[in-house]
Amino acid sequence: SCDYWLVSLCSHHTDNELSVWILLPFTYEIMQQEIRPLVAVDIIEQLHRQFAILSGGRGKDGAPIITFPEFAGFSEIPDEDFLNVVTYLTSIPSLEAASIGFIIIIDRRRDKWSAVKASLTRIAGAFPGNLQLVFVLRPSRFIQRAIADIGIKLYRDDFKMKVPIIMLNSVSDLHGYIDKCQLTRELGGTLEYGHSQWIHHRTAIENFAMTVKTTAQMLQTFGTDLAETELPNDVQCTEDLLSAHTDHHSKLKDELKLAVKQGATLLTCIREPVTRSANSKLSPDELENVATVERLLAQLDETEKAFDQFWTRHHLKLEQCLQLRHFEHDFREVKLTLDNLMEAQAGFSDVGDSVSRVEHLLREQKQLEEKGQVCKAQTLALHGEQLIQNNHYAVDSIRPKCVELRRICDDFTNETKKKYDILGKSLELHKQLDKASQWCEAGIYLLASQAVDKCQSQEGAETALVEIEKFLATAKEHQLSNPKEFYNQFDTILTPEIKILQKLEDVQEMFDKRQVSLKKLAAKQTRPVQPVAPHPESSPKRASPKTTRPAGVGGPLIFASRYSIQYYSTPYFFSFSHIINELIETERVYVEELQSIIEGYASEMDNPSLLHLIPSMLQNKKDILFGNLPEIYDFHNRIFLKELENCIENPELLARCFLKRKEDLQIYEKYCQNKPRSEALWRQCGDSIFFQECQRKLDHKLSLDAYLLKPVQRITKYQLLLKEMLKCSKNSEGTAELEEALATVLDIIKSVNDSMHQIAITGYEGDVGELGKLLMQGSFNVWTDHKKGHNKVKDLARFKPMQRHLFLYTKMLLFCKKREENTDGHEKTASYSFKNSLKMSTVGITENVKGDNKKFEIWYNGREEVYIIQASSVELKNTWISEIRKVLTGQLEACRGKTQCDLMMLPSFCSCQGQRNCSMRHLCSDK
C-alpha cells in the first residue's frame, strides 16, 4: 500500500490558481519558512545504507535517540554523506524535542576499539545537533574490550565532547538508562522499526508538503490572473470568459480534492500499525508525522473554503457582468428603434382630407405603435430595476439607462396619444363635413323643388316658408365644431374643407333671400301692419354698473397678504423657540426609540424563552450587533436630554450644552466604527424569526436595521438644527457660542468620518493608534521622484499619476491605495491598502510647484525622495499645507523648548535656501 500512495503522490501535478488575497496561514507557513537544505529524496541512497537511524525512541526526558548500528564500512563513508545523513536526521524532530538534546547510541559490539574511536571522532567533529549523552556498546571480545577501556581513558579528551561518554558492556546496561519500549529489537527493546517503511513515510510526507505548497502557489497565480482580468464590453466575450473561468474552477476543485485524498491516504498509511493491532502504539516521531499531515489537511480544507468563497463572489460578478452586457445590448437596440420611430413620427404631419384617408392614417399609426416596442422597453426598464434591487455592482450605469428608457417610452406614448387625438378630431370633423355637404345638397334640392307659380299666392308662400323653416331647423344637427380652430393647429386649411364651408355660407344665403321674398309675397294679401313696440329681448342691454371680479380673487389675496404681514412681523424669539422645542421633542422621541431597541431587542436576546429562535451565527454577538448603543442611550437619557430641557426657559444655555458635552459625544465615533460589522451580521441573520417576533411585540413599522441607523441620523440632526438657530440669531447675543457649538458638532462628524476611513486601512504592520491624532484624510494624484539609481529612471518614466489616499497623523503620513469591493452582492465597501509612510519628523514641504497651483511637494533627506501631490482644488491644497505646517511648526517649537538646540540640527521645511518668496522662510533651517 505504501508503494501505491507514493507513486500516486508523485504522479499528479496540474496547474492550480487562487486569488491574491487568499493567502491563508498555511501559505505563509509553508511558503515563507526557511527551505530545508535536505529532503529524503536528495539522500535516498545514503539513507538506505542504514549507518545511522532515527528509530523514534526517546529518552526518559523526551530526548530523541539516534542510533549508529553496526556497519562494517563506517570508516569508509565519505564525510559529505555522513554529514548529510546526520544533518537530515537531526532536522526531523520538533524544535522542542531537539532543544532537549540528542542521545546517541553507538553499537560496536562486534567491532574493534579502532572502530569505536573512529566513530566517536567523526561524531564529535561533525554532529550538528545539541548532544545530551553518548552511549557506546563496547566490543564484546575480551581483548578488544580491554583495549577499549584503556583507550577511552587515554583519548577521552581528544574527542572534544562536552557531554558524558558512557561505555556499556551489554544491552542490559543500556536498559538501565533507556526504557526497552524506546529501543529497537536489535538493542533488546520492543520498539517496532522498519527502515524501508520509515524512508517511505518521510518521502511521502515531504512530497505531500511540496504538493500543498505547489497547490497554494498555483492557486495564487490563478487568483492574480482573475484580479487582473478586465471585464469584457460585449456579450460574447463575457460568455467566453465566464465559461473559461468556470472550466478552470472545476479543474482546480478536482485538484484540491485529489490533494485531500492523497493526504488522507498518507495519514492512513502512517496509522496502519495502530489500525492493525490495538496493542500497538505510534512512536513520538510517528505522532509528529500524523500531526504534520493533519495540519496540512486542515489547511487544505481552509484553503478550499476560502477558494469557494472567492469563487462565489467572482462568479457572481461575472454573471452580473453578463447580465449588464445583455441589458446594454438590448438597451441600444430598443433605443435605436424608438429613436427612429420618434423621428418618423415627428415627420408624420398628414391629418387626412377625407374620412377614408383619416381611417387609413389611423391604421398606419396603429402599425407604427406596434413596431415601437414600447412593451419591450418597459420590460427592459423593469429588468434593470430588478438588477438594481439585486445589488448589482453597476448600479450607476444601469439606473440612468432605466430612466432613459422610461423617458423614451413616455415621450413615444405621449406623441402617439397626441397623434391619435389629432387624427380622431380630424375623423370627426370630416364626418361632420360629409354630413354638412349632404345637408347643403338637400337644401339646394328643396329650393329647386319649390315652384315659383305656387309661391305667388299667400297660401303658397306660407307653405314654402314652413318648409324652409323645417329644413333650417335641421341645420343645428350638422353644425361643425370650429373647423377653422382645428385646422389652425396645422397652419393650413385644405381646399375641400374650404369649399364645403363656402358652400354652407352660400346655401344659408340662398335660404335667407328666399325667406325674404316669400315673406313679402305673404304680406301683400294681409292687412297693413300695425306699429308694434320693440320686443323686450331686442332692447339693447346696458352694462352693469358693478365691476365684476373673478371669483375668489379678493378673499384669498387679502388673506395671503395678511398672513404674509403677520409672518414677517413675527418676533425673532418665536422662531428660535420653535427650533429649540423641535430639538427637545425629537430628542425625547430619540431616547424612547433607543429604549425600545434595547428593551425590545437587546434584552430579549437574553430571554431563555426566545433562545431557540436566535440563529446560531448570532449567539454571543449582541455587542457586535448593537455596538455601544446602551452607552449612547444612558448618556442621552440621564444627562443630555435633561440639560436640553433646561434650555426651554433659558435658550441662551443651549450652545453651552454642546460645548460642555463635546467629549461625551465622542461615543458616536465608537458606534460608527462598529457599524460595518453590525450591518454584516444583520445581513446574515436579519430575516430570522427572532427579529420578526420582537418587531411584532414592539409594533414597529420598520425592522431593526432602520432603528440602528438612528444614532447616525441624530448627530446629523444636531448639525442641521444648530445651523437653523444661527440663521435666526445672526448678529445677536449668543451667536459666537452657537457658532462654536456648530463647529464642535461638525468636528465630531469629521472625526467619525475620518475614523470610518481609518479602520479600513489594511496592510499596515504597525499600530495606527501610535501615530497620533488623525488630522486629515483624502484622495490625491501622486508622482514620485527618487534620485537613487534605477529608481529614478523608473519613477520619472511614470507620466500617469498614482491614485493615493493620504492619512495625515501628527507623527506619520500614510500613502494608501483605495480599493472598492462588492461584499456578498451588497454595496461597495472601500478599503485602503497601505503602500508607504513618511515620519513627520523627517519631512519637508514645498508649497508651490511651477506650472500647477494645485500641486505641492513633500520630501525628506535632502530631496532624495520627493512626492509631488496634486489636490482636486486650490482650497483643498491650502488646507492640507496649513495642517502640515502646524504639525511641523509644533515639532519645531517642542524641540526648541526641550533642547534649545541649534536650528541647523533640525530637519528643514523646504529647499528655498532662505529665499524671500518662501512662505516658511522664518522657520527654514537655511536661514
Side-chain angles (χ1 to χ4, degrees):
S1 61
C2 292
D3 291 338
Y4 167 77
W5 53 252
L6 178 60
V7 174
S8 176
L9 283 171
C10 295
S11 62
H12 292 280
H13 294 279
T14 58
D15 293 336
N16 294 311
E17 303 166 327
L18 188 60
S19 179
V20 176
W21 61 272
I22 307 183
L23 285 176
L24 292 175
F26 91 92
T27 309
Y28 286 112
E29 178 182 345
I30 295 175
M31 297 177 66
Q32 303 301 326
Q33 67 185 356
E34 294 184 3
I35 301 174
R36 289 175 178 171
L38 291 173
V39 292
V41 176
D42 298 335
I43 56 172
I44 193 71
E45 294 181 1
Q46 293 89 324
L47 290 175
H48 276 295
R49 297 176 70 180
Q50 201 174 344
F51 59 83
I53 63 173
L54 184 69
S55 62
R58 299 291 173 95
K60 294 179 180 180
D61 56 353
I65 299 174
I66 295 179
T67 303
F68 289 85
E70 292 181 327
F71 188 81
F74 184 84
S75 59
E76 299 174 1
I77 298 173
D79 292 340
E80 182 180 358
D81 293 349
F82 176 83
L83 181 61
N84 287 341
V85 171
V86 175
T87 301
Y88 177 73
L89 294 180
T90 55
S91 68
I92 294 175
S94 65
L95 294 177
E96 180 181 357
S99 64
I100 299 173
F102 288 86
I103 295 176
I104 293 180
I105 299 176
I106 304 174
D107 186 5
R108 293 295 181 262
R109 288 174 291 176
R110 300 178 183 178
D111 218 325
K112 300 178 180 179
W113 159 247
S114 59
V116 174
K117 180 181 178 182
S119 299
L120 290 172
T121 302
R122 173 167 279 189
I123 292 170
F127 192 84
N130 180 25
L131 283 174
Q132 185 189 95
L133 282 174
V134 177
F135 294 101
V136 179
L137 287 172
R138 70 183 76 192
S140 58
R141 286 178 291 182
F142 178 79
I143 297 176
Q144 292 299 324
R145 181 178 297 181
I147 295 174
D149 290 338
I150 298 172
I152 195 65
K153 295 177 181 179
L154 295 177
Y155 295 99
R156 182 182 294 275
D157 294 336
D158 294 343
F159 298 137
K160 297 180 181 180
M161 286 190 178
K162 297 180 181 180
V163 297
I165 301 174
I166 300 175
M167 304 294 292
L168 303 175
N169 293 326
S170 64
V171 293
S172 300
D173 296 340
L174 180 62
H175 298 164
Y177 294 93
I178 302 174
D179 291 339
K180 287 184 178 182
C181 62
Q182 301 298 327
L183 296 172
T184 61
R185 295 185 182 276
E186 288 78 5
L187 297 177
T190 61
L191 179 64
E192 294 290 340
Y193 175 77
H195 192 61
S196 298
Q197 186 182 43
W198 181 88
I199 293 176
H200 279 305
H201 284 185
R202 290 307 310 164
T203 306
I205 291 171
E206 290 167 358
N207 284 341
F208 180 59
M210 183 58 65
T211 299
V212 173
K213 177 180 178 180
T214 304
T215 301
Q217 291 172 338
M218 292 184 175
L219 290 175
Q220 180 179 358
T221 303
F222 175 67
T224 303
D225 292 341
L226 294 186
E228 295 176 352
T229 299
E230 293 185 1
L231 297 178
N233 293 323
D234 61 272
V235 174
Q236 186 60 46
C237 291
T238 305
E239 289 177 344
D240 294 342
L241 182 64
L242 179 60
S243 176
H245 284 188
T246 303
D247 292 341
H248 210 156
H249 167 260
S250 300
K251 293 179 181 178
L252 285 172
K253 288 289 291 183
D254 293 340
E255 292 299 325
L256 279 172
K257 291 178 181 178
L258 179 61
V260 172
K261 183 178 179 181
Q262 291 172 348
T265 304
L266 174 58
L267 195 61
T268 302
C269 290
I270 297 175
R271 289 174 172 170
E272 185 180 5
V274 179
T275 306
R276 186 173 59 249
S277 173
N279 297 327
S280 300
K281 292 184 179 180
L282 297 179
S283 67
D285 286 351
E286 290 174 327
L287 290 175
E288 288 183 0
N289 290 343
V290 170
T292 299
V293 176
E294 287 178 341
R295 186 177 68 255
L296 290 172
L297 285 172
Q299 291 162 351
L300 269 179
D301 183 64
E302 292 177 3
T303 304
E304 185 172 12
K305 291 179 180 177
F307 178 70
D308 288 342
Q309 293 175 1
F310 161 74
W311 172 251
T312 299
R313 287 190 289 271
H314 179 73
H315 187 258
L316 175 62
K317 189 164 187 178
L318 284 179
E319 287 185 333
Q320 289 184 341
C321 178
L322 183 59
Q323 293 172 349
L324 177 63
R325 299 306 174 231
H326 278 297
F327 177 80
E328 291 174 342
H329 178 265
D330 294 340
F331 170 80
R332 287 191 293 268
E333 287 186 347
V334 171
K335 187 176 184 301
L336 180 61
T337 301
L338 288 174
D339 287 344
N340 291 338
L341 291 174
M342 285 285 289
E343 184 177 355
Q345 196 173 59
F348 189 73
S349 59
D350 188 6
V351 295
D353 55 0
S354 65
V355 173
S356 60
R357 175 60 180 168
V358 175
E359 289 176 345
H360 175 72
L361 292 176
L362 283 170
R363 288 192 295 270
E364 288 185 349
Q365 183 64 31
K366 184 67 176 178
Q367 295 174 356
L368 190 65
E369 183 182 10
E370 292 174 354
K371 294 179 181 178
Q373 297 183 339
V374 175
C375 292
K376 183 176 180 180
Q378 293 174 342
T379 303
L380 185 60
L382 182 61
H383 176 59
E385 291 171 354
Q386 290 175 347
L387 292 179
I388 295 174
Q389 292 177 359
N390 293 335
N391 300 312
H392 197 284
Y393 72 89
V395 173
D396 294 338
S397 174
I398 297 174
R399 183 174 283 114
K401 291 181 174 60
C402 292
V403 174
E404 180 68 6
L405 284 172
R406 297 290 188 191
R407 184 193 64 79
I408 295 175
C409 288
D410 291 342
D411 291 347
F412 184 82
T413 302
N414 292 335
E415 286 297 320
T416 302
K417 183 176 181 299
K418 182 179 178 181
K419 194 68 177 178
Y420 273 123
D421 291 341
I422 293 174
L423 290 176
K425 292 178 181 179
S426 177
L427 181 62
E428 181 182 356
L429 175 62
H430 283 291
K431 287 181 178 180
Q432 291 179 355
L433 289 173
D434 286 348
K435 290 182 180 179
S437 179
Q438 294 173 4
W439 183 82
C440 290
E441 295 295 332
I444 294 172
Y445 178 80
L446 175 63
L447 293 176
S449 63
Q450 291 179 341
V452 178
D453 55 341
K454 291 182 179 181
C455 295
Q456 298 300 317
S457 64
Q458 179 181 1
E459 183 180 354
E462 290 176 350
T463 302
L465 280 173
V466 171
E467 291 177 350
I468 291 174
E469 287 174 356
K470 287 182 179 180
F471 183 81
L472 290 178
T474 63
K476 294 181 179 180
E477 300 176 6
H478 305 288
Q479 285 182 350
L480 302 179
S481 56
N482 298 323
K484 292 185 178 180
E485 179 181 347
F486 170 76
Y487 279 96
N488 284 339
Q489 300 178 33
F490 304 94
D491 299 325
T492 181
I493 298 180
L494 300 181
T495 302
E497 283 71 23
I498 296 176
K499 290 182 178 180
I500 292 175
L501 292 175
Q502 185 64 45
K503 189 174 184 179
L504 277 172
E505 293 176 0
D506 293 343
V507 171
Q508 185 66 46
E509 185 180 358
M510 290 169 63
F511 274 109
D512 291 340
K513 291 180 178 180
R514 177 64 62 90
Q515 282 180 309
V516 171
S517 300
L518 290 174
K519 287 178 180 180
K520 288 180 179 180
L521 291 173
K524 287 180 180 180
Q525 285 81 20
T526 62
R527 292 176 298 176
V529 178
Q530 300 294 325
V532 182
H535 195 278
E537 293 181 357
S538 64
S539 303
K541 298 179 181 180
R542 292 185 298 171
S544 173
K546 296 182 180 180
T547 303
T548 59
R549 177 186 296 177
V553 172
L557 284 177
I558 294 171
F559 175 77
S561 176
R562 289 176 180 174
Y563 180 80
S564 300
I565 293 171
Q566 181 182 1
Y567 177 80
Y568 287 107
S569 62
T570 300
Y572 146 73
F573 67 84
F574 176 80
S575 298
F576 194 87
S577 175
H578 176 74
I579 297 174
I580 291 180
N581 289 335
E582 181 183 355
L583 173 61
I584 295 173
E585 287 302 320
T586 54
E587 184 73 13
R588 289 170 181 161
V589 174
Y590 176 54
V591 171
E592 291 175 359
E593 289 175 338
L594 293 182
Q595 182 181 4
S596 69
I597 296 172
I598 293 172
E599 295 178 354
Y601 287 99
S603 298
E604 289 297 297
M605 291 181 68
D606 300 325
N607 187 348
S609 63
L610 297 177
L611 286 178
H612 66 285
L613 298 178
I614 300 177
S616 59
M617 65 187 70
L618 191 60
Q619 298 285 349
N620 302 320
K621 292 183 180 179
K622 182 167 68 175
D623 292 340
I624 296 178
L625 183 61
F626 297 98
N628 63 331
L629 195 68
E631 181 183 3
I632 295 175
Y633 166 70
D634 186 65
F635 165 69
H636 283 271
N637 184 46
R638 289 193 309 104
I639 301 174
F640 203 55
L641 176 59
K642 295 179 180 179
E643 292 182 354
L644 290 178
E645 288 174 339
N646 292 335
C647 299
I648 296 177
E649 301 297 332
N650 302 293
E652 67 277 2
L653 299 178
L654 181 68
R656 299 177 190 175
C657 290
F658 287 93
L659 297 176
K660 179 181 177 182
R661 298 300 172 186
K662 178 179 180 180
E663 297 299 326
D664 295 320
L665 289 171
Q666 296 294 333
I667 56 178
Y668 282 93
E669 181 175 342
K670 181 180 178 181
Y671 183 83
C672 292
Q673 287 178 348
N674 179 69
K675 200 69 179 70
R677 299 174 63 203
S678 174
E679 291 176 349
L681 183 59
W682 172 259
R683 286 194 294 269
Q684 295 177 10
C685 56
D687 56 352
S688 68
I689 301 177
F690 169 76
F691 291 117
Q692 297 174 8
E693 180 65 17
C694 293
Q695 183 178 349
R696 185 189 63 80
K697 290 181 179 179
L698 292 171
D699 195 25
H700 280 179
K701 302 298 182 183
L702 302 176
S703 57
L704 173 61
D705 58 328
Y707 288 93
L708 291 177
L709 287 173
K710 295 292 183 180
V712 182
Q713 297 168 348
R714 189 60 187 169
I715 196 68
T716 307
K717 181 73 173 179
Y718 292 146
Q719 168 201 354
L720 298 176
L721 291 174
L722 286 172
K723 285 182 177 179
E724 291 300 318
M725 291 179 186
L726 270 175
K727 292 179 182 178
C728 296
S729 63
K730 190 171 293 184
N731 301 325
S732 63
E733 185 177 357
T735 300
E737 286 190 341
L738 275 176
E739 290 177 345
E740 189 175 354
L742 177 59
T744 297
V745 174
L746 291 175
D747 186 55
I748 292 172
I749 294 175
K750 178 182 179 298
S751 178
V752 168
N753 183 48
D754 289 346
S755 68
M756 294 298 290
H757 288 276
Q758 177 178 272
I759 63 175
I761 296 176
T762 61
Y764 181 69
E765 296 181 355
D767 183 4
V768 294
E770 298 177 357
L771 303 182
K773 182 180 179 181
L774 177 59
L775 304 175
M776 301 284 288
Q777 56 83 23
S779 296
F780 297 87
N781 293 330
V782 178
W783 294 263
T784 59
D785 184 2
H786 299 277
K787 298 184 177 180
K788 289 184 178 181
H790 69 279
N791 287 336
K792 178 178 180 181
V793 178
K794 177 181 177 182
D795 293 331
L796 287 177
R798 187 193 292 271
F799 295 106
K800 184 178 180 182
M802 298 178 292
Q803 304 297 320
R804 292 290 181 262
H805 200 90
L806 273 57
F807 293 85
L808 176 62
Y809 296 87
T810 54
K811 297 181 181 180
M812 191 82 75
L813 177 64
L814 300 186
F815 291 79
C816 300
K817 184 175 182 179
K818 184 177 182 181
R819 303 180 186 276
E820 292 186 348
E821 297 180 357
N822 284 347
T823 58
D824 300 328
H826 289 271
E827 295 180 355
K828 294 181 178 178
T829 56
S831 63
Y832 303 97
S833 177
F834 171 76
K835 294 298 182 182
N836 195 13
S837 63
L838 299 175
K839 290 183 178 180
M840 294 305 295
S841 60
T842 63
V843 304
I845 63 171
T846 302
E847 296 184 11
N848 297 310
V849 176
K850 185 177 180 181
D852 193 339
N853 59 356
K854 293 185 290 186
K855 289 183 180 179
F856 63 97
E857 293 181 345
I858 297 180
W859 48 269
Y860 71 96
N861 197 17
R863 295 181 65 85
E864 284 189 358
E865 188 169 344
V866 180
Y867 293 84
I868 304 171
I869 300 173
Q870 183 186 49
S872 59
S873 65
V874 177
E875 293 76 11
L876 180 61
K877 166 196 165 182
N878 293 334
T879 303
W880 272 73
I881 288 177
S882 176
E883 287 296 329
I884 295 174
R885 188 188 298 121
K886 289 178 184 178
V887 174
L888 300 181
T889 304
Q891 291 175 356
L892 179 61
E893 296 298 334
C895 188
R896 282 174 176 168
K898 288 182 179 180
T899 63
Q900 295 296 323
C901 64
D902 187 80
L903 282 174
M904 294 300 292
M905 301 296 293
L906 298 176
S908 61
F909 281 71
C910 66
S911 60
C912 67
Q913 287 80 40
Q915 296 176 8
R916 293 181 179 179
N917 61 352
C918 179
S919 62
M920 302 187 69
R921 184 172 178 270
H922 62 291
L923 296 174
C924 183
S925 64
D926 293 320
K927 182 178 178 183

